[in-house]
Amino acid sequence: QVQLVESGGGLVPGGSLRLSCAASGFTFSGYAMRWYRQAPGKGRELVGVISSGGSTYYPDSVKGRFTISRDNAKNTVFLQMNSLKPEDTAVYYCYAEARLIWGQGTQVTVSS
């Protein structure tokens, strides 16, 4: 079964979280991976991209705070989120580029 499963979300007053996305059912190392987020009433927003070769991209909204990485041996992509703000509250989804495979998302809520 082709599947992406996100984990690591939670309720925090700020600080940091690390999200994980475990992939199965396809050759993970051959695909670029993305992280998106969607807040209530808003569209889906790209927060990071990592290519199969390890190149990364971040939009200005998270640049300098978020870091995307991957461990191909473990079929996992990570999103390290530092200096979290209430505006970062959203459901975070991972996505396998080209394969059009989405996870179900993990909720991140930044309070205070």
Side-chain angles (χ1 to χ4, degrees):
Q1 178 182 197
V2 176
Q3 188 173 206
L4 298 173
V5 180
E6 300 95 337
S7 62
L11 173 63
V12 293
S16 300
L17 282 174
R18 189 180 75 159
L19 307 183
S20 298
C21 174
S24 60
F26 67 100
T27 306
F28 174 81
S29 61
Y31 294 91
M33 298 293 296
R34 301 183 180 187
W35 283 97
Y36 286 87
R37 65 186 181 187
Q38 188 164 22
K42 300 188 68 176
R44 189 163 51 201
E45 177 188 18
L46 179 70
V47 296
V49 182
I50 185 165
S51 73
S52 60
S55 299
T56 57
Y57 165 82
Y58 309 94
D60 290 342
S61 60
V62 305
K63 192 175 297 181
R65 299 190 298 122
F66 290 11
T67 303
I68 189 170
S69 62
R70 67 193 299 160
D71 186 338
N72 288 337
K74 297 181 178 180
N75 289 353
T76 303
V77 62
F78 304 96
L79 184 67
Q80 178 68 46
M81 305 185 294
N82 299 327
S83 301
L84 283 165
K85 307 172 182 178
E87 305 91 89
D88 296 318
T89 296
V91 177
Y92 284 72
Y93 301 90
C94 63
Y95 169 77
E97 198 168 294
R99 291 295 299 269
L100 302 178
I101 302 169
W102 293 89
Q104 292 187 325
T106 183
Q107 176 69 50
V108 173
T109 303
V110 185
S111 63
S112 187

